[in-house]
Amino acid sequence: MDMQIPRFKAEFFKALAHPLRIRILEVLCEGERNVNEIQSIVGLEGSAVSQQLAVLRAKNLVNTVKSGTTVTYSLRDPLIRDLLAVAKQIFNNHLVETISVLEEMQQNP
């Protein structure tokens, strides 16, 4: 069995396997931003944001455009926005199920 496509998918999802990288992608879903803007929005300064942007860049999830000393980031593929929306729906579905179980447990101690 050819494992090339499953391996590619696994590497893609590894790139999403960090909360800050997901948050950065969510910010970029709203439009292109430079590093300072991203840092301000996510509430982190220093190298943390730059390190995660480097991973996203290495995995080809973001595009960069350099103008002078400013680097602007954007989503490489607009379908990332859809992927994050679906992931949020899945999370919300699980959350609703968990709340229902907890409510039932409270009603029937």
Side-chain angles (χ1 to χ4, degrees), residues 16-58:
L16 299 177
H18 192 284
L20 183 52
R21 290 196 290 265
I22 290 173
R23 182 65 187 118
I24 290 168
L25 290 172
E26 289 172 341
V27 168
L28 295 177
C29 284
E30 299 167 8
E32 60 184 37
R33 302 272 193 257
N34 65 44
V35 176
N36 291 333
E37 292 170 325
I38 295 169
Q39 288 175 340
S40 176
I41 292 168
V42 300
L44 293 173
E45 297 178 11
S47 63
V49 170
S50 294
Q51 288 173 349
Q52 300 311 323
L53 282 167
V55 172
L56 293 172
R57 199 171 47 246

Coordinates of all heavy atoms in Angstrom, one line a residue, residues 16-58:
L16 N -0.6 21.6 12.2 CA -1.8 22.2 12.9 C -1.8 21.8 14.4 O -2.7 22.3 15.2 CB -3.1 21.8 12.3 CG -3.3 22.1 10.8 CD1 -4.6 21.6 10.3 CD2 -3.2 23.6 10.6
A17 N -0.9 21.0 14.8 CA -0.9 20.4 16.2 C -0.3 21.3 17.3 O 0.4 20.8 18.2 CB -0.2 19.0 16.2
H18 N -0.5 22.5 17.2 CA 0.0 23.5 18.2 C -1.1 24.6 18.4 O -1.5 25.2 17.4 CB 1.3 24.0 17.8 CG 2.0 24.8 18.9 ND1 1.6 26.0 19.3 CD2 3.0 24.4 19.7 CE1 2.4 26.4 20.3 NE2 3.2 25.4 20.6
P19 N -1.5 24.9 19.6 CA -2.6 25.9 19.8 C -2.2 27.2 19.2 O -3.1 27.9 18.6 CB -2.7 25.9 21.3 CG -2.0 24.8 21.8 CD -1.1 24.3 20.8
L20 N -1.0 27.7 19.3 CA -0.6 29.0 18.8 C -0.6 29.0 17.3 O -1.1 30.0 16.7 CB 0.8 29.4 19.3 CG 1.2 30.8 18.9 CD1 0.2 31.9 19.2 CD2 2.5 31.1 19.6
R21 N -0.2 27.9 16.6 CA -0.3 27.9 15.2 C -1.8 27.9 14.7 O -2.1 28.6 13.7 CB 0.4 26.6 14.6 CG 1.9 26.7 14.8 CD 2.6 25.7 14.0 NE 2.5 24.3 14.4 CZ 3.3 23.6 15.2 NH1 4.4 24.2 15.7 NH2 3.1 22.4 15.5
I22 N -2.6 27.2 15.4 CA -4.1 27.3 15.0 C -4.6 28.7 15.2 O -5.3 29.3 14.4 CB -4.9 26.3 15.8 CG1 -4.5 24.9 15.4 CG2 -6.4 26.6 15.7 CD1 -5.2 23.8 16.2
R23 N -4.2 29.4 16.3 CA -4.7 30.7 16.6 C -4.1 31.7 15.5 O -4.9 32.6 15.0 CB -4.2 31.2 18.0 CG -4.7 32.6 18.3 CD -6.2 32.6 18.5 NE -6.6 34.0 18.6 CZ -7.4 34.7 17.8 NH1 -7.9 34.1 16.7 NH2 -7.7 36.0 18.0
I24 N -2.9 31.5 15.1 CA -2.3 32.4 14.1 C -3.1 32.2 12.7 O -3.4 33.1 12.1 CB -0.8 32.0 13.8 CG1 0.0 32.6 15.1 CG2 -0.3 32.7 12.6 CD1 1.4 32.1 15.1
L25 N -3.4 30.9 12.4 CA -4.2 30.7 11.2 C -5.6 31.3 11.3 O -6.1 31.8 10.3 CB -4.3 29.2 10.9 CG -3.0 28.5 10.5 CD1 -3.1 27.0 10.4 CD2 -2.5 29.0 9.2
E26 N -6.2 31.2 12.5 CA -7.5 31.9 12.7 C -7.4 33.4 12.4 O -8.3 34.0 11.8 CB -8.0 31.6 14.1 CG -8.5 30.2 14.3 CD -8.8 29.8 15.7 OE1 -8.4 30.6 16.6 OE2 -9.5 28.8 15.9
V27 N -6.3 34.0 12.9 CA -6.1 35.4 12.7 C -5.9 35.7 11.2 O -6.5 36.6 10.7 CB -4.9 35.9 13.5 CG1 -4.4 37.3 13.0 CG2 -5.1 35.9 15.0
L28 N -5.2 34.8 10.5 CA -5.0 35.0 9.1 C -6.2 34.8 8.2 O -6.3 35.2 7.1 CB -3.8 34.2 8.6 CG -2.4 34.6 9.2 CD1 -1.3 33.6 8.7 CD2 -2.1 36.0 8.9
C29 N -7.2 34.0 8.8 CA -8.5 33.8 8.1 C -9.2 35.2 7.9 O -10.0 35.3 7.0 CB -9.4 32.9 8.9 SG -8.9 31.2 8.8
E30 N -8.9 36.1 8.8 CA -9.5 37.4 8.7 C -8.8 38.4 7.8 O -9.3 39.4 7.4 CB -9.5 38.1 10.1 CG -10.3 37.2 11.1 CD -10.1 37.7 12.6 OE1 -9.5 38.7 12.8 OE2 -10.6 37.0 13.5
G31 N -7.6 38.0 7.3 CA -6.9 38.8 6.3 C -5.4 38.7 6.6 O -5.0 38.3 7.7
E32 N -4.6 39.3 5.7 CA -3.2 39.3 5.8 C -2.8 40.2 7.0 O -3.4 41.2 7.3 CB -2.5 39.6 4.5 CG -2.8 41.0 4.0 CD -2.2 41.2 2.6 OE1 -2.1 40.3 1.8 OE2 -1.8 42.4 2.4
R33 N -1.7 39.8 7.6 CA -1.2 40.5 8.8 C 0.4 40.4 8.8 O 0.9 39.4 8.4 CB -1.7 39.9 10.1 CG -3.2 39.9 10.3 CD -3.7 41.2 10.9 NE -5.0 41.0 11.3 CZ -6.1 41.5 10.7 NH1 -5.9 42.1 9.5 NH2 -7.3 41.3 11.1
N34 N 1.0 41.4 9.4 CA 2.4 41.3 9.6 C 2.7 40.8 11.0 O 1.7 40.6 11.8 CB 3.1 42.7 9.4 CG 2.7 43.7 10.4 OD1 2.6 43.5 11.6 ND2 2.5 45.0 10.0
V35 N 3.9 40.5 11.4 CA 4.3 39.8 12.6 C 3.8 40.7 13.8 O 3.2 40.1 14.8 CB 5.8 39.6 12.7 CG1 6.2 39.0 14.0 CG2 6.2 38.7 11.6
N36 N 4.0 42.0 13.8 CA 3.6 42.8 14.9 C 2.1 42.8 15.1 O 1.6 42.7 16.3 CB 4.1 44.2 14.7 CG 5.6 44.4 14.8 OD1 6.2 43.6 15.4 ND2 6.1 45.4 14.1
E37 N 1.3 42.8 14.0 CA -0.1 42.7 14.2 C -0.5 41.3 14.8 O -1.4 41.3 15.6 CB -0.8 42.9 12.8 CG -0.6 44.3 12.2 CD -1.1 44.4 10.8 OE1 -0.9 43.5 10.0 OE2 -1.6 45.5 10.5
I38 N 0.1 40.3 14.3 CA -0.3 38.9 14.8 C 0.1 38.9 16.3 O -0.7 38.4 17.1 CB 0.5 37.8 14.0 CG1 0.0 37.8 12.5 CG2 0.3 36.5 14.6 CD1 0.8 37.0 11.6
Q39 N 1.3 39.3 16.6 CA 1.7 39.3 18.1 C 0.7 40.1 18.9 O 0.3 39.6 20.0 CB 3.1 39.9 18.2 CG 4.2 39.0 17.7 CD 5.5 39.7 17.8 OE1 5.7 40.9 17.8 NE2 6.6 38.9 17.7
S40 N 0.2 41.2 18.5 CA -0.7 42.0 19.2 C -2.0 41.3 19.4 O -2.6 41.3 20.5 CB -0.9 43.4 18.5 OG -1.9 44.2 19.1
I41 N -2.5 40.7 18.3 CA -3.8 40.0 18.3 C -3.8 38.8 19.2 O -4.7 38.6 20.0 CB -4.3 39.7 16.9 CG1 -4.6 41.0 16.1 CG2 -5.5 38.8 17.0 CD1 -4.8 40.7 14.6
V42 N -2.7 38.0 19.2 CA -2.7 36.8 20.0 C -2.2 37.1 21.4 O -2.3 36.2 22.3 CB -1.9 35.7 19.3 CG1 -2.4 35.3 18.0 CG2 -0.4 36.1 19.2
G43 N -1.7 38.3 21.6 CA -1.3 38.7 23.0 C 0.1 38.1 23.4 O 0.3 37.9 24.6
L44 N 0.9 37.8 22.4 CA 2.3 37.3 22.7 C 3.3 38.1 22.0 O 3.1 38.6 20.9 CB 2.4 35.8 22.3 CG 1.6 34.8 23.1 CD1 1.7 33.5 22.4 CD2 2.0 34.7 24.5
E45 N 4.4 38.3 22.7 CA 5.5 39.0 22.0 C 6.7 38.1 21.9 O 6.7 37.0 22.4 CB 5.9 40.2 22.9 CG 4.8 41.2 23.1 CD 5.2 42.4 24.0 OE1 6.4 42.5 24.3 OE2 4.3 43.1 24.4
G46 N 7.7 38.6 21.2 CA 9.0 37.9 21.2 C 9.0 36.8 20.1 O 8.3 36.8 19.1
S47 N 9.8 35.8 20.4 CA 10.1 34.7 19.4 C 9.0 33.7 19.3 O 9.0 33.0 18.3 CB 11.4 34.1 19.8 OG 11.3 33.4 21.0
A48 N 8.0 33.6 20.2 CA 7.0 32.5 20.2 C 6.2 32.6 18.9 O 6.1 31.6 18.2 CB 6.1 32.6 21.4
V49 N 5.8 33.7 18.5 CA 5.0 33.9 17.3 C 5.9 33.6 16.1 O 5.5 32.9 15.1 CB 4.3 35.3 17.2 CG1 3.7 35.5 15.9 CG2 3.2 35.4 18.3
S50 N 7.1 34.2 16.1 CA 8.0 34.0 14.9 C 8.3 32.5 14.7 O 8.4 32.1 13.6 CB 9.2 34.8 15.1 OG 8.9 36.2 15.1
Q51 N 8.5 31.8 15.8 CA 8.8 30.4 15.7 C 7.7 29.6 15.1 O 7.9 28.8 14.2 CB 9.2 29.8 17.1 CG 10.5 30.2 17.6 CD 10.7 29.7 19.0 OE1 9.8 29.3 19.7 NE2 11.9 29.9 19.5
Q52 N 6.5 29.9 15.5 CA 5.3 29.2 15.0 C 5.0 29.6 13.5 O 4.6 28.8 12.7 CB 4.1 29.4 15.9 CG 4.3 28.9 17.3 CD 4.9 27.5 17.4 OE1 4.5 26.6 16.6 NE2 5.7 27.3 18.4
L53 N 5.3 30.9 13.2 CA 5.1 31.3 11.8 C 6.2 30.6 10.9 O 5.8 30.2 9.8 CB 5.3 32.8 11.7 CG 4.1 33.6 12.1 CD1 4.5 35.1 12.3 CD2 3.0 33.5 11.1
A54 N 7.3 30.3 11.4 CA 8.4 29.6 10.7 C 7.9 28.2 10.3 O 8.1 27.7 9.2 CB 9.7 29.6 11.4
V55 N 7.3 27.5 11.3 CA 6.7 26.2 11.1 C 5.6 26.2 10.0 O 5.6 25.4 9.1 CB 6.2 25.6 12.4 CG1 5.5 24.3 12.1 CG2 7.3 25.4 13.4
L56 N 4.7 27.2 10.1 CA 3.6 27.3 9.2 C 4.2 27.6 7.8 O 3.7 27.1 6.8 CB 2.7 28.4 9.6 CG 1.9 28.1 10.8 CD1 1.1 29.3 11.3 CD2 0.9 26.9 10.6
R57 N 5.2 28.4 7.7 CA 5.9 28.7 6.4 C 6.6 27.5 5.9 O 6.4 27.2 4.7 CB 6.9 29.9 6.6 CG 7.3 30.6 5.4 CD 8.1 31.9 5.7 NE 9.2 31.7 6.6 CZ 9.3 32.2 7.8 NH1 8.3 33.0 8.2 NH2 10.3 32.0 8.6
A58 N 7.3 26.7 6.7 CA 8.0 25.5 6.3 C 7.0 24.4 5.7 O 7.3 23.7 4.8 CB 8.8 25.0 7.4

